[in-house]
Amino acid sequence: MRVLIGLEVHVQLNKLKTKMFCGTPTSYQHAPPNTHVCPVCLGLPGAMPTINMKAVEAAVKVALALNAKVQENTMFYRKNYFYPDLPRGFQISQYDFPIGKDGYVIIDGDEGEKKVRIKRVHMEEDPGRLVHVGRIDKAKYTLIDYNRSGMPLLEIVTEPDMNSPKEARAFVSKLRTILEYLDVFDGSLEGAMRVDANVSIEGGSRVEIKNISSFRGVEKALAFEITRQKNLLRRGQQAKMETRHFDESQEITVSLRVKEEESDYRYFPEPDLPPMNLKGWTERIKAELPELPDARRERLIAQYGISVEHAKVLTGERVLADYFEKVASKTSPKLAATWIADVLKGELNYRDMRIEGCFSPENMVELLELLEKDLISDKAAVMIIRRMLDEGGRPKEIMEKEGLQKIKEDILPGVVESVIEENEKAVRDYLSGKREAINYLVGQVMKKVRGRADASKVYNLLERRLNEIDNN
Ligand code: MN
């Protein structure tokens, strides 16, 4: 049973200073409810919208970065529907003549790289925010905050090209990376990216899941929904065409309403806003586009000779790639790639930290120099990284204070000898053919020297010594 998933991703252009059709600042994130509003974004009768041309520019940037064709003639429409988060009774959106059409994004799919086609990219305004008290279908009442109302929003619609929840997640994560490279979007802000997912089992009808607000949520909601549809099929029933809501706290989808048809919205051209002609814009903005993730990945591989896997991790965040390049310019790039992509990234994730909050590239360079001069072991380097993340300080300082310098190598054979004497059972195991017992012994030696030796050297010493014993 093949699963087909298409996404509609709503992205706030939250790095812009003002809203889509008025001068109200976009910095509402920490403001009390209903304080970042004006007659336009509150939808008061008679208030006239004006187009934020910076938002149009940002939209062109995004469309180009998603390999879409930018429409020279574009315009706004009214999308009519009633909902309490939409005081005007219609959303200013786009319909025919969206700003971008026919693009694509390359993702890491279940079977290697894969192209997800983008059907359209259009501009619209964000509605207000409804806060349901409790589960949506059981809430006693709902609160409304219009601070979000009128935020510049892009809707990015894909073709149903994803075949698993994992691929859907890979798409949104790639999209976020691209948007952050363009500097039009801060994904860390609440509500910055909301996903609606269309999912069906090939041949069945389409179910839309509304308002998923986290990467994890995309995967969870889809997994739940696919299981639900498959169970229906097994019982000889069909999923009906409907809209469902994802309940993030319970990780289930609940039925909201029978899905509306496009004609229900009675789209018509927005009479208060002029159509736009973007002649000349595309070329100018294209010339100003920054280097994007895929291009940067290829460049890092070519320029620094690092692996594809490392380059993927490093370019997954623009700031991480910047950090790497600062370090790589002053020390061995391959060493830098390994230590940043494998070790540092892991330690940051573990702490729920982002690279912005990490110690400076200079400190990383200093640490890698200690490694290159063979003054510390890999294990000691990891300890230093942890210490710097948790308490600050500089690599050399920490090394000296904690006595992490490598021990003189000529004492290693003695330590190996004493570990062999003290661990008869492991030695016997090894000699009787359980070769993995050597790992335990390596661990014991490393413990005795408090991590200040190369595990691989210890391994070799131990192996040689044990084979001598074996031959006697
Ligand atoms: Mn929309």
Side-chain angles (χ1 to χ4, degrees):
M1 286 191 279
R2 213 158 83 102
V3 171
L4 300 176
I5 300 167
L7 300 177
E8 289 171 19
V9 187
H10 284 98
V11 171
Q12 270 188 355
L13 299 171
N14 54 14
K15 282 213 160 180
L16 295 173
K17 291 204 168 58
T18 56
K19 290 187 177 180
M20 188 74 221
F21 300 114
C22 61
T24 304
T26 52
S27 53
Y28 69 88
Q29 289 282 345
H30 301 291
N34 299 307
T35 56
H36 264 55
V37 289
C38 79
V40 174
C41 56
L42 264 184
L44 299 187
M48 293 291 274
T50 46
I51 302 171
N52 177 352
M53 293 314 274
K54 288 271 184 237
V56 179
E57 209 174 287
V60 172
K61 253 188 180 180
V62 173
L64 288 171
L66 300 180
N67 306 295
K69 292 179 196 75
V70 174
Q71 308 295 293
E72 200 171 282
N73 290 299
T74 185
M75 62 190 287
F76 288 101
Y77 276 73
R78 287 186 180 180
K79 178 183 183 181
N80 299 280
Y81 66 97
F82 168 78
Y83 215 58
D85 60 8
L86 194 68
R88 257 196 252 99
F90 60 85
Q91 179 189 32
I92 305 180
S93 181
Q94 293 197 285
Y95 185 55
D96 288 336
F97 320 106
I99 193 133
K101 270 181 168 173
D102 304 327
Y104 65 87
V105 169
I106 308 269
I107 65 161
D108 268 338
D110 296 337
E111 284 145 31
E113 285 202 337
K114 150 174 213 177
K115 214 180 230 190
V116 173
R117 289 167 300 156
I118 307 280
K119 199 192 276 181
R120 53 188 275 143
V121 178
H122 75 242
M123 298 179 282
E124 58 188 30
E125 54 177 343
D126 212 348
R129 192 166 75 97
L130 295 177
V131 183
H132 306 291
V133 182
R135 213 175 106 166
I136 187 168
D137 55 339
K138 292 196 175 124
K140 289 215 173 62
Y141 59 93
T142 296
L143 300 167
I144 304 185
D145 179 5
Y146 290 113
N147 282 349
R148 203 176 75 184
S149 178
M151 279 295 285
L153 209 63
L154 283 185
E155 184 173 326
I156 296 155
V157 184
T158 78
E159 298 285 353
D161 287 348
M162 288 147 281
N163 302 109
S164 70
K166 208 170 134 249
E167 287 193 343
R169 182 181 178 148
F171 175 82
V172 285
S173 127
K174 184 68 178 278
L175 179 62
R176 174 176 168 158
T177 304
I178 294 170
L179 293 166
E180 288 184 338
Y181 269 65
L182 295 172
D183 206 24
V184 295
F185 173 72
D186 178 354
S188 68
L189 296 179
E190 196 275 324
M193 191 186 261
R194 277 120 52 206
V195 180
D196 298 342
N198 286 301
V199 52
S200 62
I201 295 182
E202 204 161 31
S205 45
R206 218 157 43 106
V207 171
E208 184 180 23
I209 312 167
K210 281 270 182 207
N211 259 325
I212 311 167
S213 57
S214 69
F215 287 3
R216 224 181 116 260
V218 171
E219 232 177 327
K220 291 274 171 198
L222 286 167
F224 176 89
E225 184 54 28
I226 290 163
T227 309
R228 192 186 71 85
Q229 291 187 22
K230 282 187 176 167
N231 285 342
L232 281 173
L233 279 177
R234 245 172 241 128
R235 280 184 257 125
Q237 292 167 306
Q238 270 269 0
K240 57 175 188 284
M241 185 152 158
E242 64 177 350
T243 298
R244 299 176 70 87
H245 170 88
F246 178 57
D247 186 320
E248 197 110 40
S249 58
Q250 304 192 64
E251 297 180 349
I252 57 168
T253 65
V254 288
S255 180
L256 272 189
R257 56 180 183 263
V258 173
K259 189 165 170 35
E260 53 290 292
E261 305 272 324
E262 208 168 73
S263 60
D264 293 334
Y265 290 121
R266 295 158 41 244
Y267 279 95
F268 64 85
E270 167 59 65
D272 291 341
L273 293 170
M276 288 172 283
N277 184 287
L278 301 181
K279 200 172 161 52
W281 278 48
T282 313
E283 290 314 309
R284 175 176 64 80
I285 294 172
K286 204 180 233 164
E288 290 167 4
L289 274 189
E291 185 181 37
L292 293 167
D294 291 346
R296 191 167 195 183
R297 190 182 74 204
E298 294 313 309
R299 178 172 64 77
L300 293 193
I301 295 169
Q303 186 175 339
Y304 300 104
I306 64 175
S307 72
V308 178
E309 281 314 310
H310 283 159
K312 269 186 192 165
V313 174
L314 294 169
T315 53
E317 289 167 69
R318 193 179 62 163
V319 265
L320 188 65
D322 292 345
Y323 187 97
F324 164 74
E325 290 210 74
K326 278 187 196 137
V327 176
S329 66
K330 294 199 185 100
T331 177
S332 150
K334 280 188 189 165
L335 195 65
T338 306
W339 281 85
I340 296 170
D342 295 342
V343 185
L344 180 62
K345 190 75 184 38
E347 294 293 331
L348 289 170
N349 287 349
Y350 176 73
R351 287 167 179 72
D352 217 359
M353 276 173 77
R354 289 179 60 88
I355 188 78
E356 288 92 329
C358 179
F359 50 82
S360 69
E362 288 70 31
N363 278 338
M364 194 61 176
V365 172
E366 190 176 308
L367 178 78
L368 297 181
E369 278 169 2
L370 297 178
L371 273 169
E372 278 197 305
K373 287 184 195 147
D374 211 21
L375 288 171
I376 54 172
S377 67
D378 287 359
K379 206 169 166 197
V382 173
M383 283 165 68
I384 293 174
I385 286 181
R386 288 181 180 156
R387 175 63 67 90
M388 285 197 287
L389 288 175
D390 295 334
E391 293 165 35
R394 298 189 56 109
K396 229 185 214 149
E397 238 171 60
I398 298 172
M399 174 188 81
E400 280 159 10
K401 211 167 110 209
E402 300 297 320
L404 293 171
Q405 291 101 316
K406 264 193 190 168
I407 52 159
K408 290 221 166 54
E409 267 177 28
D410 49 5
I411 78 155
L412 273 184
V415 182
V416 163
E417 216 50 51
S418 66
V419 164
I420 285 178
E421 275 164 31
E422 289 160 21
N423 294 278
E424 276 174 43
K425 185 173 177 303
V427 173
R428 244 185 293 122
D429 284 350
Y430 179 86
L431 296 178
S432 70
K434 284 190 197 153
R435 292 318 205 201
E436 65 277 12
I438 196 170
N439 296 324
Y440 173 77
L441 294 167
V442 171
Q444 294 305 304
V445 174
M446 292 302 282
K447 204 163 148 192
K448 270 194 196 270
V449 300
R450 300 197 359 255
R452 296 172 302 158
D454 277 329
S456 62
K457 271 187 194 142
V458 171
Y459 186 101
N460 290 338
L461 272 175
L462 262 169
E463 194 176 41
R464 202 184 315 146
R465 195 58 199 107
L466 288 168
N467 289 341
E468 275 172 26
I469 296 172
D470 204 8
N471 292 335
N472 285 338

